[in-house]
Amino acid sequence: MTTRTAAAALATCAALMAATGCSSSFGDGKETEQDAGAKQHLTVLIATSGDAETKAVKDAAAAYQKQSGNTVTVEIAKDMNQQLAQSFAGHKPPDVFYVNSDQFANYAKAGSLYAYGDQIKDADDFSAQLRSSFTYDGQLVCLPKDTSTLGLAINTELWQKAGLTEKDYPTTWAELKQVAGKLTGDGVTGLVTTNEYQRLGVFMKQAGGWVTDARQTKMTAAGAKNAQGLAFAQSLLKSGSMKYAKDVDTSWGGEALGKGKAAMTIEGNWLAGAMKADYPDVKYKVVELPAGPAGKGTLAFSNCWGVAAESAHQKAAVDLVKYLSSGGQQLKFADAFGVMPSRTSSLATYAQQAPEAKAWVAGAAYAQGPVTIAGFEKVLGQFNTDLQALRTADPKKILADLQNNGEQAMAKGE
């Protein structure tokens, strides 16, 4: 799942585009002849989190078939970025497909996506933050299919064993540092997460900083607030009360929490499905992340429903997307495999139906979206590499390098 360990996938699409030249055929002024038939066949390509998601999407496609008369084939990608890049290069893309926010700008810049946002009358039901993640050159290109935020997940058995109660749930950095230290010992680390900006970035946000300005036109990485955020994370690492997942022989925070190697982890709402499937006997509680000097802060993640610029079925594809992103269908997806609705109206209903997700839902109101700048895979990949050494490295140097790399990428227009 890209939201668990995003670093490995960051450079894939850009490398494939360079290798295949898949973007070279777009923007040449040619338009794909559209199928005007009453009944059309659509192909949908998804990257699934498991059997529950696969079944849910296929069930939704089947329901749409009955309603519309169009037929839909849902295909499961083994490597989403690679398969999309190859399909664009071969001029045979799926009609509808998942687009991760990390790759969105690359596809949009290449002309691979059909911008249909202006055809969605109730687009305002999707939050401004989510819409901005899938807006390119001022156009809403595709609809967010769901949303995820980060929260603080706590192993309640280890929490109680340390003599802590619900009153001790941390709401500030100082309290987080205190309880993390108290929970560390006897093979347990107080806080475990992964060495990615997609996790550690919460501290930058809570300090009042971020990688770029709100419009993503200027790098702001080298600011003092970002340095304050990473310095706090470094202090936890140096104390031993926070470790990276790989340092406790696990692949991500959910595994560390489930195996009892972490008392707390910073993870998103996909954690619920993973814990239910892999560690059903482990009791845990999710609370909002502690506030930093600038207040509360978390990160948001999403995919959108992309429609191919070279699809011969754009009208029918948009019709399918409208069905899949409707409020009722989003709630069915949420119930089936744990994602949160991207519609604000549906999110409110979901919060009532899933009280255990209260903290993740609350985070949607103040979450920071990801960096979505075309050609930034290498920049962010290097940032994640540098964060591996955060315990001993100079946070200001890490951020200065990020600033420099980002400015160079922006200047090249990549």
mmCIF file of all heavy atoms in Angstrom, residues 83-101:
data_model
loop_
_atom_site.group_PDB
_atom_site.id
_atom_site.type_symbol
_atom_site.label_atom_id
_atom_site.label_comp_id
_atom_site.label_asym_id
_atom_site.label_seq_id
_atom_site.Cartn_x
_atom_site.Cartn_y
_atom_site.Cartn_z
ATOM 1 N N GLN A 83 2.325 -0.193 -14.978
ATOM 2 C CA GLN A 83 1.296 -0.563 -15.937
ATOM 3 C C GLN A 83 0.647 0.664 -16.582
ATOM 4 O O GLN A 83 0.346 0.664 -17.774
ATOM 5 C CB GLN A 83 0.247 -1.450 -15.272
ATOM 6 C CG GLN A 83 0.761 -2.862 -15.011
ATOM 7 C CD GLN A 83 -0.201 -3.732 -14.217
ATOM 8 O OE1 GLN A 83 0.109 -4.197 -13.133
ATOM 9 N NE2 GLN A 83 -1.379 -3.945 -14.762
ATOM 10 N N LEU A 84 0.444 1.711 -15.798
ATOM 11 C CA LEU A 84 -0.112 2.935 -16.378
ATOM 12 C C LEU A 84 0.859 3.552 -17.378
ATOM 13 O O LEU A 84 0.461 3.967 -18.476
ATOM 14 C CB LEU A 84 -0.441 3.940 -15.282
ATOM 15 C CG LEU A 84 -1.758 3.747 -14.536
ATOM 16 C CD1 LEU A 84 -1.921 4.825 -13.465
ATOM 17 C CD2 LEU A 84 -2.947 3.776 -15.488
ATOM 18 N N ALA A 85 2.140 3.632 -16.993
ATOM 19 C CA ALA A 85 3.133 4.221 -17.893
ATOM 20 C C ALA A 85 3.199 3.454 -19.204
ATOM 21 O O ALA A 85 3.265 4.051 -20.290
ATOM 22 C CB ALA A 85 4.502 4.243 -17.219
ATOM 23 N N GLN A 86 3.158 2.144 -19.121
ATOM 24 C CA GLN A 86 3.225 1.326 -20.332
ATOM 25 C C GLN A 86 1.966 1.474 -21.181
ATOM 26 O O GLN A 86 2.033 1.503 -22.410
ATOM 27 C CB GLN A 86 3.456 -0.136 -19.957
ATOM 28 C CG GLN A 86 4.847 -0.394 -19.396
ATOM 29 C CD GLN A 86 5.035 -1.815 -18.889
ATOM 30 O OE1 GLN A 86 4.056 -2.527 -18.640
ATOM 31 N NE2 GLN A 86 6.272 -2.232 -18.732
ATOM 32 N N SER A 87 0.817 1.580 -20.507
ATOM 33 C CA SER A 87 -0.440 1.720 -21.254
ATOM 34 C C SER A 87 -0.513 3.082 -21.948
ATOM 35 O O SER A 87 -1.017 3.193 -23.071
ATOM 36 C CB SER A 87 -1.646 1.525 -20.332
ATOM 37 O OG SER A 87 -1.817 2.620 -19.453
ATOM 38 N N PHE A 88 -0.001 4.131 -21.302
ATOM 39 C CA PHE A 88 0.035 5.441 -21.941
ATOM 40 C C PHE A 88 0.970 5.401 -23.154
ATOM 41 O O PHE A 88 0.657 5.952 -24.215
ATOM 42 C CB PHE A 88 0.510 6.518 -20.961
ATOM 43 C CG PHE A 88 -0.421 6.768 -19.812
ATOM 44 C CD1 PHE A 88 0.075 7.162 -18.570
ATOM 45 C CD2 PHE A 88 -1.790 6.633 -19.957
ATOM 46 C CE1 PHE A 88 -0.778 7.414 -17.502
ATOM 47 C CE2 PHE A 88 -2.654 6.883 -18.898
ATOM 48 C CZ PHE A 88 -2.142 7.272 -17.669
ATOM 49 N N ALA A 89 2.126 4.752 -22.990
ATOM 50 C CA ALA A 89 3.094 4.674 -24.081
ATOM 51 C C ALA A 89 2.535 3.896 -25.259
ATOM 52 O O ALA A 89 2.807 4.216 -26.420
ATOM 53 C CB ALA A 89 4.384 4.026 -23.585
ATOM 54 N N GLY A 90 1.745 2.872 -24.971
ATOM 55 C CA GLY A 90 1.176 2.035 -26.021
ATOM 56 C C GLY A 90 -0.138 2.541 -26.567
ATOM 57 O O GLY A 90 -0.752 1.894 -27.421
ATOM 58 N N HIS A 91 -0.597 3.699 -26.050
ATOM 59 C CA HIS A 91 -1.864 4.304 -26.488
ATOM 60 C C HIS A 91 -3.061 3.386 -26.243
ATOM 61 O O HIS A 91 -4.044 3.439 -26.990
ATOM 62 C CB HIS A 91 -1.803 4.694 -27.976
ATOM 63 C CG HIS A 91 -0.605 5.553 -28.307
ATOM 64 N ND1 HIS A 91 -0.480 6.858 -27.890
ATOM 65 C CD2 HIS A 91 0.539 5.259 -28.987
ATOM 66 C CE1 HIS A 91 0.684 7.352 -28.326
ATOM 67 N NE2 HIS A 91 1.318 6.396 -28.969
ATOM 68 N N LYS A 92 -2.968 2.565 -25.222
ATOM 69 C CA LYS A 92 -4.087 1.688 -24.865
ATOM 70 C C LYS A 92 -4.337 1.753 -23.355
ATOM 71 O O LYS A 92 -4.272 0.741 -22.661
ATOM 72 C CB LYS A 92 -3.794 0.249 -25.290
ATOM 73 C CG LYS A 92 -3.728 0.047 -26.802
ATOM 74 C CD LYS A 92 -3.488 -1.420 -27.146
ATOM 75 C CE LYS A 92 -3.456 -1.609 -28.661
ATOM 76 N NZ LYS A 92 -3.217 -3.041 -29.025
ATOM 77 N N PRO A 93 -4.606 2.943 -22.842
ATOM 78 C CA PRO A 93 -4.804 3.066 -21.392
ATOM 79 C C PRO A 93 -6.174 2.553 -20.979
ATOM 80 O O PRO A 93 -7.103 2.500 -21.804
ATOM 81 C CB PRO A 93 -4.722 4.583 -21.170
ATOM 82 C CG PRO A 93 -5.256 5.164 -22.441
ATOM 83 C CD PRO A 93 -4.761 4.245 -23.533
ATOM 84 N N PRO A 94 -6.328 2.169 -19.704
ATOM 85 C CA PRO A 94 -7.672 1.857 -19.204
ATOM 86 C C PRO A 94 -8.511 3.129 -19.241
ATOM 87 O O PRO A 94 -7.972 4.238 -19.254
ATOM 88 C CB PRO A 94 -7.402 1.390 -17.775
ATOM 89 C CG PRO A 94 -6.096 2.019 -17.406
ATOM 90 C CD PRO A 94 -5.299 2.069 -18.672
ATOM 91 N N ASP A 95 -9.817 2.970 -19.268
ATOM 92 C CA ASP A 95 -10.682 4.148 -19.316
ATOM 93 C C ASP A 95 -10.675 4.904 -17.993
ATOM 94 O O ASP A 95 -10.635 6.135 -17.955
ATOM 95 C CB ASP A 95 -12.114 3.728 -19.651
ATOM 96 C CG ASP A 95 -12.209 3.075 -21.014
ATOM 97 O OD1 ASP A 95 -11.968 3.756 -22.013
ATOM 98 O OD2 ASP A 95 -12.501 1.861 -21.057
ATOM 99 N N VAL A 96 -10.703 4.143 -16.892
ATOM 100 C CA VAL A 96 -10.752 4.715 -15.539
ATOM 101 C C VAL A 96 -9.696 4.011 -14.699
ATOM 102 O O VAL A 96 -9.495 2.796 -14.829
ATOM 103 C CB VAL A 96 -12.149 4.534 -14.910
ATOM 104 C CG1 VAL A 96 -12.185 5.075 -13.481
ATOM 105 C CG2 VAL A 96 -13.223 5.218 -15.765
ATOM 106 N N PHE A 97 -9.031 4.748 -13.805
ATOM 107 C CA PHE A 97 -7.963 4.133 -13.019
ATOM 108 C C PHE A 97 -7.671 4.966 -11.781
ATOM 109 O O PHE A 97 -7.973 6.163 -11.731
ATOM 110 C CB PHE A 97 -6.684 3.990 -13.856
ATOM 111 C CG PHE A 97 -6.347 5.193 -14.685
ATOM 112 C CD1 PHE A 97 -5.550 6.213 -14.188
ATOM 113 C CD2 PHE A 97 -6.853 5.320 -15.976
ATOM 114 C CE1 PHE A 97 -5.256 7.331 -14.947
ATOM 115 C CE2 PHE A 97 -6.564 6.446 -16.750
ATOM 116 C CZ PHE A 97 -5.767 7.452 -16.236
ATOM 117 N N TYR A 98 -7.077 4.310 -10.791
ATOM 118 C CA TYR A 98 -6.616 5.005 -9.595
ATOM 119 C C TYR A 98 -5.412 5.870 -9.960
ATOM 120 O O TYR A 98 -4.507 5.421 -10.670
ATOM 121 C CB TYR A 98 -6.147 4.024 -8.533
ATOM 122 C CG TYR A 98 -7.204 3.278 -7.760
ATOM 123 C CD1 TYR A 98 -8.552 3.329 -8.083
ATOM 124 C CD2 TYR A 98 -6.826 2.482 -6.671
ATOM 125 C CE1 TYR A 98 -9.497 2.626 -7.357
ATOM 126 C CE2 TYR A 98 -7.765 1.767 -5.934
ATOM 127 C CZ TYR A 98 -9.102 1.826 -6.282
ATOM 128 O OH TYR A 98 -10.026 1.130 -5.568
ATOM 129 N N VAL A 99 -5.381 7.081 -9.442
ATOM 130 C CA VAL A 99 -4.212 7.952 -9.580
ATOM 131 C C VAL A 99 -3.794 8.396 -8.188
ATOM 132 O O VAL A 99 -4.545 9.080 -7.493
ATOM 133 C CB VAL A 99 -4.520 9.191 -10.446
ATOM 134 C CG1 VAL A 99 -3.286 10.092 -10.519
ATOM 135 C CG2 VAL A 99 -4.965 8.785 -11.840
ATOM 136 N N ASN A 100 -2.596 8.012 -7.778
ATOM 137 C CA ASN A 100 -2.091 8.421 -6.474
ATOM 138 C C ASN A 100 -1.647 9.878 -6.527
ATOM 139 O O ASN A 100 -1.140 10.343 -7.547
ATOM 140 C CB ASN A 100 -0.923 7.526 -6.052
ATOM 141 C CG ASN A 100 -0.506 7.761 -4.616
ATOM 142 O OD1 ASN A 100 0.262 8.672 -4.335
ATOM 143 N ND2 ASN A 100 -1.018 6.953 -3.715
ATOM 144 N N SER A 101 -1.836 10.590 -5.432
ATOM 145 C CA SER A 101 -1.474 12.007 -5.404
ATOM 146 C C SER A 101 0.003 12.239 -5.692
ATOM 147 O O SER A 101 0.379 13.278 -6.239
ATOM 148 C CB SER A 101 -1.848 12.624 -4.047
ATOM 149 O OG SER A 101 -1.221 11.914 -2.990
#
